[in-house]
Structures are given as C-alpha cells and as structure tokens.
Amino acid sequence: MIELHDVYKAFGKREILRGLTLTVPKGLNFVLMGPSGTGKSVTLRHIIGILQPDRGSVRVDGQEVPAMNHHQLMELRKRMGYLFQNGALINWLSVAENVALPLREHGMLPRDEIDDRVHEMLRLVHMDQAAKQFPPDISGGMKLRCGLARALVTKPEYVLYDEPNAGLDPIISREIHELIVDVRDTLHVTGLIVTHSRACATHCADRIGILQDGRLGIEGTVDELVHSDNPLARDFLGEGSD
Ligand SMILES: Nc1ncnc2c1ncn2[C@@H]1O[C@H](COP(=O)(O)OP(=O)(O)O)[C@@H](O)[C@H]1O
Ligand SMILES: [Mg+2]
C-alpha cells in the first residue's frame, strides 16, 4: 500500500502540495488526474524518494520513504517500477539494453539470466521482434512499451506511470491502457497512474483522485466520479472531456 498523509511541498515560495492525502491500496490501479503543473509528477517523485516532503508522511507498505537510507531506497526501487513520460529511453542503447538497465543497476540477476528476463518482458509488451532496434528508429507507442518493459523488468510490486499516453494517438493509447490493465491482472502489480486522459482513467482505474490546489479535490471509484456532479470530476471525466 502507498500512503501519503498531509504532504506539503514547496519550491521556493511556490507551494505545490498542500496537505495531500492519498492511499493506493494493494492490487488496484489508482489514477491521479489534475491540470498540468499541479504536482502530479512531484507526487510520484516523493514516492520513490527523489523528493522529500517539507512535512507530512509518505509510506510504502508502512515504511516511511523520506527516512530511508541509500540502501533502503535502492531496495524500494527494485520493488517499484517507474514509467517515465515518453518512455525516457537512452537513444544509444538498443531496446533490449534499455530494458536490462535496472537489472544491471541493481546487480539483480546473473548475466545469463538477464537476457531471458529481458525477453520475457519484451514478449509481455509485444516487443520481442524489436529487441535489437534503437529508440530513434521506433514509434512513440513502441518507445512507451519498451519503457513499460523496463519498468517491469525487476518484477516490481508497484508501478508508477507518468502520463503513459501523452502524445499517442487513440488507437495506440488503447493498447497501452490494455497493457496497464494486464499488468495489474496477470502480474498483480499495484499501479499509480498519472494522466489527464478520460479514456485512460476510465479504462485503467479502480479508483480516481483529482488533484486541485495541492490536495485531492475529489476521490472515489470510477463509477462514482464519472456520475458525479462535482465540477472538478465533470471537467476531467464528463462527456466532452478527452
Ligand atoms: N525540482 C523542482 N524544482 C523547482 N520546481 C519544480 C521542481 N519540480 C517541479 N517543479 C514545479 O512544480 C510544479 C508541479 O510540477 P509537476 O509535478 O511536474 O506538474 P504535473 O502535474 O504537470 O506533473 C511545476 O510548476 C514545476 O515547475
Ligand atoms: Mg508531470
């Protein structure tokens, strides 16, 4: 379980998070929505311990992330995959080498097992044919699937997805949404998905929270939010939103 309680974070005088409380129960996909620049990526970065809150608590499975030492943070990051916007691949490494990076960084598997694991993950995202290609030569959708394989390669319990369908057309987005649901159902991964896409939220989420003024303005099941009269929910999930 991921639990943020009353988290505050400012950069200089700009207060970004102002008492954010958010719980992601195990085994579910939680979708975090909100306008650009409201602190969604900042929230994710607190959960993997790249940012420290000014105050409040950030816990993963009961463990306080800001209190972790370097070793504990490395252990946490093995259990938590991160899918960056647009995949964030390294252009001069092949698809397979990109996917292998977290395993090498954490020294997690013997050399001969790394290849097997990488190909297992590439098959899962339907990318095994592209293992030897390089990021500049593949489409946006393929980059994202490669990023997802990399996020999954350590067999994490959690995956944080930062705008998994940004810049992708509706058909490719839909494939990504289906993969995100598959990852929950077949790998039992708990997901926290940042998006402003209604399609992504309604397809992938078990619960949705919408960030407003540094905290959740509204939170509930997909059904509750889609049918809500709350103006914030209607802006993001009502008919006509995208
Ligand atoms: N390390 C940082 N230093 C200063 N400002 C930052 C930093 N990270 C994010 N911000 C600012 O915090 C705000 C929220 O950023 P972000 O979480 O990336 O927004 P989004 O909701 O679009 O993901 C933005 O105005 C951004 O410029
Ligand atoms: Mg962001």
Side-chain angles (χ1 to χ4, degrees):
M1 183 154 76
I2 300 172
E3 294 165 284
L4 278 74
H5 185 75
D6 210 19
V7 171
Y8 283 77
K9 180 69 178 179
F11 296 106
K13 285 195 175 135
R14 292 197 52 209
E15 294 179 317
I16 306 297
L17 302 181
R18 294 194 282 183
L20 175 63
T21 294
L22 177 162
T23 302
V24 184
K26 263 221 127 160
L28 300 188
N29 275 340
F30 188 103
V31 163
L32 179 63
M33 305 183 86
S36 295
T38 47
K40 302 182 297 299
S41 300
V42 163
T43 301
L44 296 186
R45 280 188 248 137
H46 277 83
I47 297 168
I48 50 170
I50 294 176
L51 288 175
Q52 299 262 339
D54 298 333
R55 60 193 167 94
S57 144
V58 180
R59 287 193 189 151
V60 176
D61 296 336
Q63 260 192 307
E64 194 65 51
V65 177
M68 288 181 182
N69 61 30
H70 179 76
H71 174 74
Q72 290 168 319
L73 273 179
M74 289 300 125
E75 290 302 310
L76 173 75
R77 288 176 196 161
K78 287 183 198 171
R79 294 167 45 220
M80 194 165 277
Y82 199 115
L83 177 60
F84 296 91
Q85 213 167 322
N86 306 318
L89 305 179
I90 296 179
N91 280 343
W92 58 88
L93 296 180
S94 70
V95 162
E97 287 163 343
N98 266 285
V99 174
L101 275 178
L103 295 175
R104 297 193 196 282
E105 187 187 340
H106 294 296
M108 273 179 83
L109 284 178
R111 260 166 191 236
D112 51 332
E113 288 175 36
I114 288 184
D115 257 13
D116 289 346
R117 175 70 68 84
V118 165
H119 283 91
E120 177 190 345
M121 291 304 150
L122 286 174
R123 271 195 304 281
L124 191 85
V125 300
H126 317 299
M127 281 279 290
D128 35 334
Q129 302 299 322
K132 295 203 169 96
Q133 289 188 266
F134 284 80
D137 305 326
I138 62 177
S139 68
M142 289 168 85
K143 283 183 190 146
L144 210 85
R145 282 189 279 151
C146 176
L148 181 57
R150 188 174 63 187
L152 292 170
V153 77
T154 60
K155 302 219 162 158
E157 294 160 55
Y158 298 93
V159 173
L160 310 182
Y161 302 87
D162 200 350
E163 308 223 10
N165 57 2
L168 301 179
D169 68 49
I171 295 169
I172 305 293
S173 291
R174 197 177 173 85
E175 284 175 23
I176 301 292
H177 303 160
E178 279 162 11
L179 277 173
I180 293 174
V181 169
D182 262 10
V183 164
R184 177 195 63 197
D185 293 344
T186 59
L187 304 177
H188 310 293
V189 163
T190 304
L192 176 53
I193 304 150
V194 161
T195 183
H196 26 75
S197 147
R198 173 183 196 257
C200 180
T202 54
H203 199 127
C204 300
D206 297 292
R207 300 186 70 79
I208 301 176
I210 306 179
L211 204 54
Q212 185 184 42
D213 301 329
R215 59 176 77 120
L216 289 189
I218 185 168
E219 197 260 343
T221 64
V222 180
D223 232 34
E224 282 164 1
L225 265 70
V226 166
H227 296 114
S228 166
D229 282 338
N230 176 290
L232 193 59
R234 289 176 63 155
D235 277 352
F236 281 88
L237 295 160
E239 296 297 333
S241 54
D242 62 357

